[in-house]
Amino acid sequence: MSATPNAARDEILARVRKALSAEGTPHPGTDAPTGPTGDPHATRSPLTRHDVLDLLVERIEDYRATVVRCTTAELAQTVAGGLEGCESVVVPAGFDAAYLDAAHLDAATVRRVAEADVTDVHDIEGVDAVVSTAAVAIAETGTIVLDHGPGQGRRGLTLLPDRHVCVVRADQVVAGVPEAFAVLRPSVDARRPLTWVSGPSATSDIELDRVEGVHGPRMLHVVLVAEAT
């Protein structure tokens, strides 16, 4: 008597589970290849750190987003440049407000809305922009990932305003998706939400005309802070 389709399926899945449970076998969905130190940044990628950063900028710009490189000393004014023309901005808990203070973004110029003051979507209606940090950035895809930790705010804060100014440190940039998953593993284990941002929110209508700002910010302004030398 031949085996039923379900029995065959169960046997295949049992073999897969056995293979994945073997000691030292990496999980293909969550374990990224790493270098000899175990550091996800120390992969065998042929790209140098300089190449990785250049590739990130190129890919983000391909999405019609803006990328500005700066040093830590220039960060305040660079953030201010990203907020040019805005009259209000949401500031997530944990975002270093000193950068806004140094840029003279006080109540006389740009109204700040603290995350603690946002209790529902109506508190963000009409707010022009949001500033945030990020968890990791992926050069190959031009993607910035937020795990909504300190400085990144709740998901709604970075989806509802029309402009998102996102500060990314150069040491947060990895070459590819596997390295990003390695960095994000603690966030996944902690069941934190992840938001993957590849350029401004955009879609196409039935005639393939591009429409921006449908599912998130219409403008993405990335501030890439150079590594210390």
Side-chain angles (χ1 to χ4, degrees), residues 101-112:
D101 296 334
H104 305 295
L105 294 176
D106 54 23
T109 54
V110 179
R111 178 174 63 91
R112 299 187 202 177

Side-chain angles (χ1 to χ4, degrees), residues 77-123:
Q77 289 303 321
T78 307
V79 170
L83 294 171
E84 185 176 358
C86 295
E87 296 182 355
S88 54
V89 57
V90 177
V91 184
F95 187 88
D96 192 345
Y99 295 127
L100 302 181
D101 296 334
H104 305 295
L105 294 176
D106 54 23
T109 54
V110 179
R111 178 174 63 91
R112 299 187 202 177
V113 179
E115 179 175 6
D117 295 331
V118 178
T119 58
D120 58 41
V121 294
H122 300 293
D123 295 326

Side-chain angles (χ1 to χ4, degrees), residues 153-209:
R154 303 192 302 275
R155 178 172 281 177
L157 296 187
T158 54
L159 292 179
L160 295 177
D162 195 44
R163 185 182 309 186
H164 182 187
V165 178
C166 187
V167 178
V168 179
R169 300 191 319 271
D171 62 4
Q172 292 179 300
V173 181
V174 298
V177 174
E179 297 96 318
F181 272 116
V183 173
L184 294 167
R185 183 66 177 269
S187 300
V188 173
D189 291 343
R191 300 184 181 275
R192 300 186 63 86
L194 300 178
T195 300
W196 298 65
V197 180
S198 296
S201 171
T203 188
S204 297
D205 63 18
I206 195 171
E207 296 182 352
L208 300 183
D209 292 327

